[in-house]
Amino acid sequence: VPIQGLNRGDTIASVKSALEKLINIYHEILLNEIAVMRSNTIVEEGRDIGGAIIYYNTAYPLQSVEPNASRGLDYLLLAYSAINGIRRIVCGYNVMKPIDPKPECRIENIRNEVVELLQLISDLSEEDVNKIYSSSLESLVAKLVITMIKHGLLYVVPLWAHDNLNIVAARKLYKLERRAFIGDAKSLQDLYSFILMVKLEKFFSEYGIDIDTLLSEFEKEISEELGLGRDGISVLGGIDKMLFKTFHGMLYRYASTASALPFTPATLESNVLPFMIEPPLPKSYLTYTQEMRRMWTLLDQELVEAMNTCINRIAQERNITESNKISEVFDVIKDILSEVQKKYPSLSYHQYTYLVKMFRACSDGHSVLAAITSPTGSGKTLIFLLYTLIKVLASKLLGLKSKAVVVYPRKALARDQLERIIELSDAVNRVLKRRGVGVELVIGIRDGDSLNIEREKPSNFYSLREIVVEREGKQYKLCHGISASRGYTVFLAEDSCWSSPVEELMWLRDVKVSRGEWRYLAQYDIVVTNHSILHRLANAVLIAKDFNEFRDVVGNTNIIVVDEAHVYTKENLEILAAALLKLLYTRAYIHKGSEPATAADFVAGLDFIVSSATLTDQHMISKGESKLFTGNIIGFFKIKTRCSEVSSLPPALRDFLSSILPEPVLSVYQSQGVVIHLDYDCAVLKDLGIEPESSSIIWRYPYRIRTALVVIPYPHRNSWTTLLEVLIALMHWINSARLRLENLYSGFSKLLALVFVDSRTTLEDLYRLIIRRYILEEQEQVDRVLLAKLYRYNLYTYLKENKLAERIQATLQIIGFISELAQQGAVSAYQLIYGLTDKARAVGDFNVVPLYLTLSDIAMLSRVTVKSYDDFFNALQSATYMRNVVSFIENVNRFAKEAIDKDYAKLLDELKQGSLNVSVLVHHGELKREERTVVESLMKGKLQPIPHIVMATSTLELGVDIEHIPVVVQYATEPLPVELVQRLGRSGRALESFYVSTLLLVLRNTGEDLTYLRDQEAVEYVYNFEVPRAASPYRHADVMLRYITKLYVDSCLSNRDKECYAEQRLLNFIKTIKSLGFISDTRDVEELFNQWLSKVKHFYLRLVESSLPTRPLDKVLVSVCEDLTKILKMFESERIALGAMRSEGLRDLSASNLEAAINAITREISVAANALCSSELQRYGNPQNALPYLRALSRALSATIDLLKQGKPHLEQAVSSLAGVMLGVYEYVHKLYAQYLQSVESVRTEGVQSVEVEDKIREYVEKDLHVFDTLIPGIVDDIGNTYINHILIKLKQGKASLELPDTTYEAFQRARPLHIKLSE
Amino acid sequence: LSQAGVKRLVSESFNCAHFKPDPRVFEASSEKHEKLVKFVRKWFEDLGKGIECVEEYELSLGGLRGRADVVCWDGKEVHIVEVKSTQVHRARMQDALQLMLYVYMYSKTKNTSLSSINAYLAYSYRESPYASAYIIRVGVEAEKTLINVVSRLVESYSSIRSGSFEGKGLYVISDLCDICVYDKCPFKALTGVTP
């Protein structure tokens, strides 16, 4: 039963709509709670700053306080928020002044809304139902609040923070004396409370609400609820001591005070950042009725007409005059539009206007530069895809060659995006088939995950990226593979890809081949790929003997789409820019048959479309040379009121475009007036039919909300500790939410949190820590207060003996601590749990129990006077959810025990089988694809149990569309703001996650993270307001050259014997881009290239000819390798013995641990032995390639020493042998390095002092600096020094190769310092 | 600031230059205002015997001029009241600043210690037969903070007016203000404000 109202036969739609309304009210409460937590004020006034509306602290700077997540709303503020939330959806309010009762709203309408809502969400008897029809609004509000508390959306808490804004208390300061209300405002806060009090009075009186009645009705209702008399709530300190927090506010509170023990805080403080309100996404408001918005559709005359003229124009330009043919094409297109309309019955104004503008430009004979920027999920794909499909198809039907390339920024294309592309292409091809046109639109997907058809055996069929295709309401699996009879095939199947095909989709391809790859691409009408493949294609084309070979791939490309543009940064941006430049150059060459002569040649007949979710945010708070001070801002509303028809490109977008296209090429589009960009924040208002006035915008729609909390670690604690403590509190929060909110809606029982840790090694360490230690503290957080007695002996069995003693000691301390507190004076269980006396504060700070307490529990606990620990324990035992808490803790512990030391794949298997029902999982790029799929399926709820927390590297940043993620945790400020926005965007996507995105940013207490202690920096970072300074490759000759010189190394150095024609090609290319002014660097790009070329030739030839002096060192390595073999044998016999024990069933836990340890050691040694003893390294020894293996050996050695310490004396021999080997390898590396560096340095500088070289070696080797790239003089840096270490080449059989074997790559990954990304 | 009165100084100090002054700060004197002033005056006079009150009490300090709505003396202490006849829900924190400028000016010109001056804000109560006003006494803690702010305001105002201005910049107290962050920002040199 997802919602109680369903019992009475309510439809799911009405229940969902009731929930949506409830969430609106919840949002209003949350926004005001954030304002109170942030600056002890509420959302009163907004000011339009152009890019958004900002809500600010009206009392600033006279009243300015530090953020405090323990603050909450008093009952008057809560009731105000709830009523205003209802008013917003019933009548709308002015977002510039939400507290203003204008525009009026009929009381009856508000009342009816509450009555309807109460019927659906509360457990009312028939008698109650009749009663609420005649209840006053004051009483209805009280009932609504209590219902929300019962469902776990709101919490009653005590006055934790003494400065908490408290209007209920402030009212008591005023007395009527001789016809004047007279009162003392002792502090400025009192004065502010007075101002707010009168504003609220005004607000309430407009709705016929009397404040005294409002308060007394609540007192009455809650006393009834608690089964207490009229003064029942006096046990809780009275209504002026009661505060309310939202369920999100509780997370903020507990993340801020996360700690495992009394007096040992893990967090110093936290900063509640301003909220960000965003309009709902089109996908939710497109369902609104005509009354709520104007509708636009694909078949609107204006759009269809523009398409028709576009088709005519294409025909006209290619001298096609048969009007029959042209109108036939138009008929097909209209048919396709009708088909697509079935799926997309209504377009947003944004989508519609883009399409009209783009097709109109086509009608005028122009190609366009379209920049589509709008939030994730707002329907960008439909815009560019429909335009692309129709234009490419029209050309094809007219017998012309035309191709589109859609480029994505990730190695593996996101499934959700592919699904949309396939869905639309499918619609197009079905129409073509139905009409018997005899033409298909061929779509080719190509990325690293494409099926390698050269390696595939026939009759092996696979799911095509888990994509599902719909046919007449039924869903089919999309499969592909090699069929014995038909070759490569894509088909739909019912259940599994082994069942017989339901339908073959000849128009779809998802393959890769090693030879003739580009010929494959030539067959596709639309290529969907990533920047790496594009880069490879561009390189292959640029140095092709004959450009014409690529006519069908590059020459006919008429549309290039760069989707998810904001993801390109640093190297990826450079790769994309270089690839595009090379492609546009060769495309122009093919068209002209000679060197392109103007910038316009590069983009003749080319539509260039960029699509992005976040390239517009940055300048929201910046105004020219200054920016808004964030200290007095409590929130943002992301809409634009001042919009002009002709919108100029936002600076961030302009920056991006001039980073991927040369300035003169951009100017070509600009001079033709075909740069199309619409401001989404304006378009939304148009869509909703809102006409803003200067001081009033009436809003009667839902919100989406983004919130963020910055958690600052305690200075002396490791920030890992802080993160893990926060995660423990978070697990309890998720668990309590699942428990309590499930009654409201089953969707809430799936809640899970996503945690991002950028470095995989850190992630793995943190994961191990949380499993080994912190999960056991999961128990402690509750246990040390509540259940110490219950779990003292039976849950520590896995812990090592010394740890066990330590914990029992700690537990006893807690018991003693509480007993002592109890004996010191009368203290209630309630006061202890909430930390309400000075002494009890220590208890209050380290437990998360209040998350699980219901109203009646609170009443019960407040009546229990604690005289001993046992009193306390017994009282807690009788709380409503304690049984569930106990079983949760047991389950978490069971999971932790299973997870420790278990192979991850096995653990996932076990989860799939359903033997565990709580989990914390990891997701990163090094997992196998199947493992990642299982984790994703668990997250989505396709498999059970849904994990409580998933910790990931950037792998879950994009393309994972899960509705039930309410929170994202980010550890450290590693990601760029645009990436962080993406991550935050994973949460709060749907009703299941309350339409609230919540970020917990846990800082490290070192380095750059300290910058974000400052509010201004943190706000700019989290909301992506930092004005980017993109380093455009076009502004740096050396950067652009990097992608050309590399090509020279690849193609010419590896074919030294042959004549390298690529050299001339590259020179021509450079001359052209130089002469057209594409590179805006003062340095001469051609001269730089020539300088580099001569150095490389000189250096490389000398280096190779002199052949590295490795010979005399071989002996060292030979003896090392012999030793390694012996050591491996030693461990092998140990393994055999352990294996034998296993088969005889003689093993205990320690034996299995030992085996796991020995396996790990053997693995490390084998990796090192394979690499070090290979003839390759010995012949072409590059010492840097040996360094990581030295690390591997060192790890093996320390693991062996560990075993030795644990009483395995027979390993002593192994230890000393390993140490010997390590010295040998070290010596080898050092000497090799010395000789190597010497020869390199002497070539480079021709005469450097050997002492200097010696110093350098010492620095590199002894400081353990890992310089991964081979030394070769690169290009010059900004001040004219020649770079070394610039290009990564490993010598392989005398040739330069840029490919690293997997083992080396893995070793590098492990050896690299933390927080350094090893880019591809 | 050439013809600055107290209200003008408050309004300009509370708003950055590029914001239009909020009309609510400039309160037109009206019948309603007068009525409320009379009520407040009577209310204070009724506190006890020997209390004397005047309306529109003129104050000036270093070229800064203003009129306090009601000033009363009871022999020992002074009561200064700023009367706001705008609807009470339009009350703002700036009102207290204006009041405190009068208090400061009174204290300086009459050489009276701040501890013997009581400051009040009076607002009209919504239409009701049983009450006419809110009268809020600004307490010591609040007064301290406010006096600190207004003394700086007056100082910087005076020094600008006399041409002897040498400070880093005007004190701008604003509920919404920009900060300069770029080196080239022309405002930066003037305000010395760094984030």
Side-chain angles (χ1 to χ4, degrees), chain B residues 168-182:
Chain B
K168 268 187 163 181
L170 258 182
Y171 287 97
V172 176
I173 309 149
S174 170
D175 47 15
L176 188 67
C177 196
D178 297 349
I179 51 165
C180 289
V181 286
Y182 305 118

Side-chain angles (χ1 to χ4, degrees), chain A residues 612-722:
Chain A
S612 155
T614 49
L615 279 176
T616 54
D617 292 346
Q618 284 93 338
H619 292 260
M620 201 189 278
I621 62 164
S622 302
K623 288 194 272 179
E625 296 273 291
S626 68
K627 61 172 75 165
L628 283 172
F629 170 58
T630 57
N632 54 349
I633 295 176
I634 52 179
F636 301 87
F637 192 159
K638 198 171 177 297
I639 45 167
K640 252 183 214 152
T641 56
R642 282 167 269 169
C643 301
S644 63
E645 268 301 304
V646 192
S647 113
S648 57
L649 291 176
L653 190 59
R654 180 96 199 32
D655 262 16
F656 176 75
L657 287 174
S658 59
S659 299
I660 58 164
L661 290 178
E663 209 52 63
V665 169
L666 273 180
S667 305
V668 172
Y669 284 114
Q670 270 163 335
S671 64
Q672 290 174 358
V674 290
V675 178
I676 299 176
H677 176 258
L678 279 173
D679 198 324
Y680 177 78
D681 296 336
C682 294
V684 170
L685 294 190
K686 281 245 181 195
D687 237 353
L688 298 173
I690 293 172
E691 283 178 17
E693 289 164 30
S694 65
S695 60
S696 158
I697 298 167
I698 307 302
W699 191 268
R700 52 174 297 201
Y701 305 96
Y703 287 155
R704 286 183 303 136
I705 296 177
R706 277 196 272 162
T707 69
L709 181 81
V710 181
V711 180
I712 298 152
Y714 202 77
H716 305 302
R717 308 290 297 273
N718 186 329
S719 60
W720 285 17
T721 312
T722 314

Side-chain angles (χ1 to χ4, degrees), chain A residues 45 47-49 54 56-63 97 100-101 174 176-189 191-192 194-195 197-199 201-202 205 622-630 632-633 1014 1016-1017 1020 1027 1029, chain B residues 14-15 18-19 24 39 42-44 46-47 87-94 96-97 120-121 123 125-126 128-142 145-146 149 173-182 184-186 195:
Chain A
E45 296 203 11
R47 202 166 247 158
D48 191 349
I49 54 161
I54 57 164
Y56 59 97
N57 175 359
T58 56
Y60 187 89
L62 296 183
Q63 184 197 275
K97 228 170 173 347
D100 192 347
Y174 294 86
L176 187 63
E177 214 174 276
R178 289 178 289 123
R179 293 189 61 227
F181 283 101
I182 174 102
D184 264 8
K186 291 200 176 64
S187 62
L188 284 169
Q189 191 182 333
L191 194 61
Y192 178 69
F194 164 76
I195 292 172
M197 178 185 86
V198 289
K199 283 183 182 175
E201 270 174 5
K202 163 93 177 154
S205 71
S622 302
K623 288 194 272 179
E625 296 273 291
S626 68
K627 61 172 75 165
L628 283 172
F629 170 58
T630 57
N632 54 349
I633 295 176
R1014 291 218 313 258
Q1016 186 86 22
E1017 302 285 345
E1020 288 178 24
V1027 179
R1029 301 276 149 103
Chain B
F14 243 93
N15 289 290
H18 57 277
F19 288 128
R24 286 169 301 190
F39 173 84
K42 178 138 193 337
W43 195 91
F44 274 90
D46 289 351
L47 271 176
Q87 285 175 300
V88 62
H89 67 272
R90 298 242 162 106
R92 298 172 75 85
M93 294 293 272
Q94 288 97 307
L97 205 61
Y120 302 84
L121 283 167
Y123 294 92
Y125 189 67
R126 66 184 140 105
S128 141
Y130 66 98
S132 298
Y134 275 110
I135 299 175
I136 303 139
R137 183 167 175 253
V138 179
V140 180
E141 190 197 318
T145 318
L146 288 166
V149 173
I173 309 149
S174 170
D175 47 15
L176 188 67
C177 196
D178 297 349
I179 51 165
C180 289
V181 286
Y182 305 118
K184 282 188 216 151
C185 173

Side-chain angles (χ1 to χ4, degrees), chain A residues 150-194:
Chain A
K150 279 161 80 179
H151 282 305
L153 281 173
L154 293 179
Y155 283 81
V156 178
V157 297
L159 196 67
W160 268 320
H162 292 294
D163 66 349
N164 206 120
L165 182 66
N166 191 340
I167 309 297
V168 178
R171 279 186 87 242
K172 294 192 168 171
L173 298 177
Y174 294 86
K175 271 187 270 172
L176 187 63
E177 214 174 276
R178 289 178 289 123
R179 293 189 61 227
F181 283 101
I182 174 102
D184 264 8
K186 291 200 176 64
S187 62
L188 284 169
Q189 191 182 333
D190 285 349
L191 194 61
Y192 178 69
S193 303
F194 164 76

